[in-house]
Amino acid sequence: MTSGFRHITVLLDEAVEALAVRADGCYLDGTFGRGGHSRLILEKLGPDGRLLGFDKDPQAIATGETLAAEDGRFVVVQRSFAELGEEVAARNMTGRVAGVLLDLGVSSPQLDDAERGFSFLNDGPLDMRMDPTRGISAAEWIASAAEEEIARVFKEYGEERFAKRMARAVVLRRAEKPFERTADLAEVLKVANPAWEKGKNPATRAFQGLRIYVNNELGDLERGLDAALEALEIGGRLVVISFHSLEDRIVKLFMRRHVKGEADNLPRDLPVRFAAFEPRIKVLGKPQFASEAELKANPRARSAVMRVAEKLR
């Protein structure tokens, strides 16, 4: 069953343009969501073109299966893009993919549907899993994690400077009653935060950290970027849209590492330069951000940053 919640695709035209879609090319949409990018890619593909979509969310997969039934050039699989290497290998596509698109983070339907437990604005079960059938929920983790571990997650993944204080409040309260609802946790975090940021809910950073941890978002990103590079053909494009500094830092460092090559710490006067130390990618242009017009239509695009690279070898 598909969700009725509306999703506005961020940097839609810019991302697909950056892919430089070739009519007969094979492309990967690592984060299908509700299919905004995928549909535009399909519009640009010819009869021989192919598109493979990935998503962990069963609601997104339901939407993808409907699209696949309508268009035989498209296939969707319920897997994390971190596993795209295995999927691509199984389909004999390694080194033959013309473009990979990764639109990171959480989608609007996931945020807006209270039953998914992502948002502190709408009360719902404290779940936060992109795939509710796998792993443990945020409520289960909060119920058993050590205070130091909760503080680490809030600080490292949420960049919350009052992480220790907030973790302490969580542990004290759970001893009386377990957390089962998003509003309940948000209220405890709100009270524990001594310095509210103007225009931002005091639970925002802690909720971000918890969501990233529960879904292993940063680990999946690191693995997915490596897999995407191997999947691409020479000249293939990698397009990544991130929504917070932790994601963007990983993408930026990944691209920098492969632009410089793997031997930038070796003496420059070595007589032999090995191919393995040559750049594997080149970065195309500067980071792109949402336009003023897009921000007016979709304020959630304000933190989006898109980076593009092309595979050299």
Side-chain angles (χ1 to χ4, degrees), residues 131-272:
D131 181 353
T133 67
R134 299 181 184 179
I136 65 171
S137 69
E140 291 172 315
W141 185 78
I142 280 286
S144 59
E147 180 179 332
E148 294 77 10
E149 180 67 358
I150 297 173
R152 184 187 71 82
V153 167
F154 288 172
K155 182 175 178 60
E156 290 188 15
Y157 301 141
E159 299 179 291
E160 173 55 67
R161 63 189 177 119
F162 299 108
K164 289 184 178 180
R165 182 169 178 159
M166 295 167 87
R168 183 60 180 160
V170 166
V171 170
L172 288 174
R173 215 315 295 278
R174 79 180 182 190
E176 303 170 7
K177 178 186 175 184
F179 289 98
E180 297 178 349
R181 310 285 297 182
T182 56
D184 186 19
L185 177 61
E187 182 61 27
V188 170
L189 295 171
K190 173 182 171 182
V191 172
N193 191 326
W196 296 12
E197 297 176 55
K198 186 177 180 180
K200 179 174 287 189
N201 188 296
T204 299
R205 295 182 183 278
F207 262 67
Q208 173 186 294
L210 187 53
R211 188 203 81 220
I212 289 173
Y213 178 81
V214 166
N215 292 287
N216 190 33
E217 292 178 34
L218 301 186
D220 278 6
L221 176 56
E222 291 176 341
R223 184 178 166 197
L225 289 170
D226 287 335
L229 183 56
E230 298 308 318
L232 286 170
E233 65 187 18
I234 304 302
R237 298 279 183 90
L238 172 64
V239 178
V240 188
I241 304 171
S242 57
F243 288 85
H244 57 74
S245 60
L246 295 175
E247 291 174 339
D248 186 50
R249 188 179 302 132
I250 289 173
V251 176
K252 182 167 57 177
L253 291 176
F254 170 83
M255 290 186 176
R256 182 182 298 168
R257 184 170 76 250
H258 289 290
V259 164
K260 289 184 175 181
E262 300 170 13
D264 44 339
N265 61 336
L266 293 182
R268 293 181 178 274
D269 57 353
L270 283 180
V272 178

Side-chain angles (χ1 to χ4, degrees), residues 11-138:
L11 292 167
L12 173 60
D13 294 323
E14 293 88 342
V16 176
E17 181 181 352
L19 282 173
V21 177
R22 194 176 72 239
D24 63 347
C26 174
Y27 294 85
L28 303 184
D29 184 349
T31 44
F32 176 78
R34 294 303 182 269
H37 287 121
S38 283
R39 288 184 176 88
L40 187 53
I41 293 170
L42 287 168
E43 286 182 15
K44 296 180 179 296
L45 287 176
D48 296 326
R50 294 293 181 268
L51 176 61
L52 175 61
F54 293 77
D55 211 291
K56 294 193 283 188
D57 191 320
Q59 293 180 357
I61 292 300
T63 301
E65 289 174 343
T66 299
L67 179 59
E70 298 169 353
D71 194 325
R73 299 171 301 169
F74 176 67
V75 175
V76 66
V77 293
Q78 188 173 2
R79 301 185 78 168
S80 166
F81 62 74
E83 301 173 315
L84 72 82
E86 295 92 326
E87 189 70 31
V88 164
R91 295 173 181 271
N92 194 30
M93 293 163 55
T94 304
R96 299 168 59 190
V97 175
V100 177
L101 171 62
L102 302 178
D103 181 6
L104 307 174
V106 63
S107 70
S108 293
Q110 289 170 329
L111 285 171
D112 295 337
D113 185 354
E115 293 304 305
R116 301 301 302 274
F118 284 100
S119 176
F120 42 78
L121 299 177
N122 303 304
D123 185 36
L126 185 58
D127 194 308
M128 294 193 182
R129 289 173 293 175
M130 292 180 181
D131 181 353
T133 67
R134 299 181 184 179
I136 65 171
S137 69

